[in-house]
Amino acid sequence: MAIRKSKTPQSPTQRADQKRVDILKSAGKCFRKNGFHQTSMQEICTEVGLGPGAVYRYFTSKDAIIAAMAEDERRQARTMLSEFHDTDDLPLALSAITRAFALRYAAISDAGLMTEIYAEGLRNKRVGAVIKKAETEWVDGLADMLRTAQERGQIDAALDAQQAALLLTAMWDGIVIRQAYTQEMPEAMMGLFDDMLKRWLSTATVSTKRVKPAPAPKAVVTAPEFDFAPEQEPEAEKTLTQAETDLRQMSLI
């Protein structure tokens, strides 16, 4: 007689969390297919298999769903960042993060959806506020990771950690957008990116001292030199002599 394994019953909180995840997944599927503005809440309800009342219990509007997607994305990214915070090889850790992002958005639809969410944040104040908060936390966490590496002597201490974190984030976002068109990140490009990171982080010394420009060389004024041969006359004098000759021949002077 086969013994059927019973599943561990979920608590109300776990069930609620799972419902939330299911709604976000179904909404994402609809958004990938039709875009944000062409997708209705009813379509999301149909996709997830729940009534409007159940869906609205978790998300009051479509904007709330979009904001939750952006927040979840960056929360997962911060979790990944924390795993590398105490690394002994920062360039290697950043390389691993780069590849993790590339794998995460390997599907064109996933890369496109994330790009569309961030574009929506520029038009929608509610979504924009969530993205801005998530981005600030992400960049601050990455900058803190860079400062820790500086204290340990792993990377150039003169590097501006906050600006470097912003630049790294911009590069990763660019890779995600580019991946929507190329689908696969060429290994050669990933290797080049790794090499660039190592060179940049180890030799990124930026001087904060103002360098006084070297004085311009003094101009030396010299008299113009005329290299006339002894038998050669200046052009003006030759012209005058010819004119006098012509006038004399015409008996005008």
Side-chain angles (χ1 to χ4, degrees):
M1 181 177 174
I3 299 175
R4 184 177 298 174
K5 294 182 179 180
S6 60
K7 294 183 179 179
T8 303
Q10 290 183 321
S11 67
T13 301
Q14 289 175 322
R15 284 197 298 271
D17 289 342
Q18 186 58 52
K19 285 280 182 64
R20 181 182 182 277
V21 170
D22 291 342
I23 294 171
L24 290 178
K25 284 183 178 180
S26 297
K29 187 175 180 179
C30 294
F31 291 154
R32 290 182 185 93
K33 183 179 178 181
N34 301 316
F36 294 142
H37 300 290
Q38 288 71 37
T39 298
S40 67
M41 284 295 285
Q42 184 57 51
E43 288 174 319
I44 295 173
C45 293
T46 301
E47 180 65 36
V48 73
L50 294 173
V55 172
Y56 280 108
R57 188 181 304 154
Y58 296 94
F59 301 100
T60 57
S61 66
K62 192 167 58 175
D63 288 350
I65 291 177
I66 298 170
M69 285 180 168
E71 192 171 16
D72 280 2
E73 191 277 337
R74 277 311 184 195
R75 184 185 298 114
Q76 293 173 31
R78 289 196 301 272
T79 299
M80 177 178 61
L81 189 65
S82 66
E83 294 174 359
F84 294 100
H85 190 279
D86 295 324
T87 180
D88 292 329
D89 191 336
L90 182 66
L92 183 63
L94 296 178
S95 173
I97 292 173
T98 303
R99 292 171 187 275
F101 273 121
L103 288 173
R104 185 171 176 180
Y105 297 103
I108 294 177
S109 58
D110 290 339
L113 177 61
M114 214 49 242
T115 303
E116 196 170 353
I117 287 175
Y118 274 73
E120 183 66 16
L122 298 176
R123 299 184 292 263
N124 187 310
K125 289 184 178 180
R126 180 175 182 179
V127 176
V130 172
I131 291 176
K132 186 175 181 180
K133 181 176 181 294
E135 285 294 299
T136 299
E137 292 175 356
W138 162 265
V139 172
D140 288 347
L142 182 56
D144 184 58
M145 180 177 174
L146 294 173
R147 291 188 191 97
T148 300
Q150 287 175 319
E151 292 170 359
R152 296 173 178 174
Q154 296 173 6
I155 62 173
D156 189 348
L159 194 70
D160 187 321
Q162 196 73 20
Q163 294 303 312
L166 281 169
L167 181 57
L168 280 168
T169 301
M171 285 191 279
W172 285 326
D173 289 343
I175 286 175
V176 169
I177 295 172
R178 179 52 46 193
Q179 197 159 276
Y181 293 94
T182 58
Q183 290 186 265
E184 294 182 3
M185 287 289 108
E187 193 61 33
M189 192 206 77
M190 299 297 282
L192 182 62
F193 187 80
D194 292 347
D195 184 61
M196 180 191 70
L197 283 180
K198 291 175 183 177
R199 293 172 182 270
W200 173 45
L201 294 173
S202 61
T203 60
T205 304
V206 179
S207 176
T208 57
K209 295 181 179 179
R210 301 185 102 187
V211 180
K212 186 177 180 181
K218 294 182 179 180
V220 179
V221 181
T222 58
E225 296 181 2
F226 299 95
D227 187 18
F228 295 119
E231 68 277 3
Q232 187 178 15
E233 296 178 348
E235 189 65 24
E237 293 185 11
K238 289 173 66 178
T239 303
L240 181 60
T241 302
Q242 183 64 45
E244 290 177 347
T245 302
D246 293 342
L247 289 172
R248 284 196 179 98
Q249 290 177 351
M250 296 172 63
S251 300
L252 295 176
I253 61 172

